[in-house]
Amino acid sequence: MVLNYIWIAFFLIAFIIALVKLVFLGDTSVFPAMMDSAFSSSKTAFEISLGLTGVLSLWLGIMKIGEKGGVVQALAKVLSPVFTKLFPDIPKGHPVTGGIFMNIAANMLGLDNAATPLGLKAMEQLQELNAKKETASNPMIMFLVLNTSGLTLVPVSIMVYRAQLGAAQPIDIFVPILLATFFSTLAGILVTSLYQRINLINRTMLLTLGGMCAVVAAIIWGFSQMDKAQMNIVSTSVANILLMSIIVGFIIAGMRTKTNVYDAFIEGAKDGFSTAVRIIPYLVAILVGIGVFRASGAMDMAIGGIQWAVATCGGNADFVGALPTALMKPLSGSGARGMMVDAMTQYGADSFVGRLSCIFQGSTDTTFYILAVYFGSVGIRHTRHAVACGLLADLAGIIAAITIAYLFFA
C-alpha cells in the first residue's frame, strides 16, 4: 500500500511540475524528457533483470548444494541464539537463518552480485513461513531493513571511482563510510525492533552488538596501518578469496554427504531464470517512476529548497551540494553513483562535497530497489512498516554521514 502511494506521488508531482514549466515558463522540453526517461528506465529494468539471470542461476545453484550438503543448516544452528532474538518468528534452527547470514556477509564485503541472489533465496524461504502470502511478515521486514541499511565493510568500488577521478588519497573515506553505515544498520535494527516489539536488552544481543563494535574497531585499526596500494589489494583479495572459498566449501560439503553436486546445482539454477522473470514488472514500475520524477526536475527543486532553508536558518550549507547522492540512493543505485561521480567532477574528488557524496553512497543501500525486487520476487503487495523502517535507517545514515564528514573533512 505504501509503495502504491509513493509510486502515484512520483507521477503526479512530476506531471504538475512539468505542466507548470510548460504553461508559465514555456519549457517544451520537460514532457519529452519525461517520456524518454520512462522508456529508457523500462529498458534498464529489463536489462537489469536479464543481467541477473545468470548470476541468480549461479548462486541459487550453489545455495542448493549448500542446503543438500548441510552447510546452511550448520550455519543456522550456530546463529540460532542471535537470530531467535532478532527474528523471534523464525523457528529455531530453520535453514533460512543460514541464508540470511550468507546474504548479510556478501553485502558487508561489497559483493553485490552474490548478495542479491542469496537475498532472494532467503526471502523465498521466509515466504514459506509466512501465513499471509501477500503481506510482509515481521522477519521479512527485519531482513529487508538489514539489506537497505547497507552495512559495508569494504567499499572497493567507491575507492576505485575516487582514484580514477584524481583523489590524492582515495582511501580517506574508508573509515567515515564504515562508521556511517554502521550507525545506519544499528538504527535500522533499533527502529524495526521497536515496531515489532522485539526486546534487544538481553545478554545475547548485547554481546553480539558489542562484538560487532569491536570487530568494526579492529578492521578500522588494521586498514589504518596500510597505505593506499596495500588497502586496495587486501580488500579486493579478501573479498574474492572468501567468495571462492564459499563455493568450494559448499561443493566439498556436498561431496562429504555423497550429494550429486552437479544435479543439485542444476536444480537450484533452474529457479534463477523464473525468479529473474518474476521481478521484471516490479523493477519496471519502480524505475520508471523514479526516472520520470528525476526528469521533471523535482529532485533539483527539492535540493534548492533544502539549501534555501538551511541558509535562512543560518546553518552551514556546505553539505547541500552532496545531497543529490543521498536523496537518489534510496531510489536508484546507478543514479546515486552518477550523482556521486558528478559531485566529484564538479567540486573535486578531494573537496568536502566530493568526499561527502562518497560517504552518502556507501552509508546506505537502494531501499526502493531492494523492496521492489525482494518483495516482488515472492508476490508481497502489503509492505506494512518496511518502507518506514528502511527510510528511517537511511535518514540515520545520512545524518551520520554529514556529522562524520564535518568531523573528518570540514
Side-chain angles (χ1 to χ4, degrees):
M1 187 63 70
V2 176
L3 266 182
N4 175 52
Y5 293 137
I6 292 172
W7 196 69
I8 292 172
F10 281 152
F11 283 94
L12 289 182
I13 293 172
F15 182 78
I16 292 170
I17 291 174
L19 201 60
V20 169
K21 286 184 175 181
L22 177 63
V23 174
F24 294 99
L25 302 177
D27 188 349
T28 59
S29 65
V30 182
F31 279 101
M34 289 166 60
M35 290 309 304
D36 287 344
S37 181
F39 291 131
S40 63
S41 296
S42 61
K43 180 182 177 183
T44 299
F46 177 76
E47 290 172 346
I48 290 173
S49 300
L50 190 64
L52 275 175
T53 304
V55 179
L56 280 169
S57 297
L58 168 65
W59 284 103
L60 292 183
I62 295 297
M63 283 296 292
K64 182 61 70 174
I65 296 173
E67 286 179 14
K68 294 196 172 184
V71 177
V72 176
Q73 291 81 352
L75 280 172
K77 187 175 181 180
V78 171
L79 296 169
S80 183
V82 174
F83 278 75
T84 52
K85 303 296 183 183
L86 203 58
F87 298 90
D89 295 336
I90 296 179
K92 188 175 181 180
H94 193 280
V96 71
T97 55
I100 292 173
F101 172 77
M102 296 291 291
N103 167 262
I104 293 173
N107 273 323
M108 290 170 68
L109 292 168
L111 306 173
D112 297 335
N113 288 340
T116 300
L118 292 173
L120 290 172
K121 179 63 177 179
M123 190 63 76
E124 197 174 292
Q125 292 175 313
L126 288 172
Q127 178 71 329
E128 293 174 3
L129 299 172
N130 187 13
K132 299 179 180 179
K133 297 303 182 184
E134 291 190 351
T135 302
S137 64
N138 283 349
M140 283 179 165
I141 294 172
M142 178 64 82
F143 176 55
L144 186 108
V145 171
L146 287 174
N147 271 270
T148 61
S149 60
L151 181 60
T152 303
L153 298 183
V154 190
V156 177
S157 61
I158 296 175
M159 293 188 289
V160 169
Y161 278 115
R162 286 185 54 73
Q164 290 175 338
L165 291 170
Q169 291 292 332
I171 63 173
D172 60 7
I173 44 80
F174 172 74
V175 173
I177 285 178
L178 191 59
L179 294 173
T181 190
F182 179 72
F183 285 119
S184 174
T185 301
L186 190 60
I189 291 174
L190 293 175
V191 170
T192 308
S193 297
L194 288 173
Y195 264 99
Q196 299 180 1
R197 302 181 185 278
I198 297 173
N199 180 20
L200 297 179
I201 310 300
N202 56 74
R203 183 172 178 270
T204 301
M205 290 308 302
L206 290 176
L207 285 174
T208 301
L209 294 176
M212 288 175 62
C213 292
V215 169
V216 168
I219 292 171
I220 291 173
W221 179 84
F223 276 103
S224 68
Q225 306 304 306
M226 304 177 189
D227 59 27
K228 175 181 65 175
Q230 284 179 313
M231 186 175 182
N232 286 332
I233 292 172
V234 170
S235 60
T236 304
S237 299
V238 167
N240 286 289
I241 290 170
L242 183 58
L243 195 58
M244 184 53 68
S245 298
I246 290 171
I247 295 173
V248 174
F250 277 26
I251 292 173
I252 292 173
M255 293 169 60
R256 287 188 59 190
T257 57
K258 297 182 179 179
T259 299
N260 187 323
V261 293
Y262 180 79
D263 286 347
F265 178 86
I266 296 300
E267 182 185 343
K270 287 179 180 178
D271 295 332
F273 180 78
S274 59
T275 301
V277 171
R278 282 202 305 272
I279 67 176
I280 290 175
Y282 299 92
L283 268 182
V284 171
I286 197 69
L287 291 186
V288 168
I290 292 167
V292 169
F293 186 77
R294 287 177 59 194
S296 70
M299 181 68 74
D300 295 334
M301 293 177 65
I303 296 298
I306 293 171
Q307 190 164 23
W308 175 83
V310 171
T312 301
C313 296
N316 187 326
D318 290 347
F319 70 92
V320 176
L323 274 184
T325 305
L327 295 180
M328 184 57 63
K329 190 61 191 282
L331 304 174
S332 167
S334 59
R337 192 179 304 113
M339 296 291 188
M340 176 189 71
V341 172
D342 180 69
M344 286 193 285
T345 303
Q346 182 177 350
Y347 295 94
D350 289 329
S351 66
F352 179 79
V353 170
R355 284 168 167 152
L356 178 55
S357 65
C358 293
I359 302 173
F360 281 146
Q361 176 72 2
S363 62
T364 59
D365 214 327
T366 48
T367 299
F368 289 105
Y369 171 85
I370 291 173
L371 194 142
V373 171
Y374 280 31
F375 281 171
S377 68
V378 293
I380 294 295
R381 296 177 59 194
H382 307 294
T383 60
R384 299 174 62 214
H385 51 277
V387 175
C389 291
L391 290 179
L392 285 171
D394 290 342
L395 178 61
I398 290 171
I399 293 172
I402 293 171
T403 304
I404 291 165
Y406 274 112
L407 288 174
F408 276 79
F409 305 120

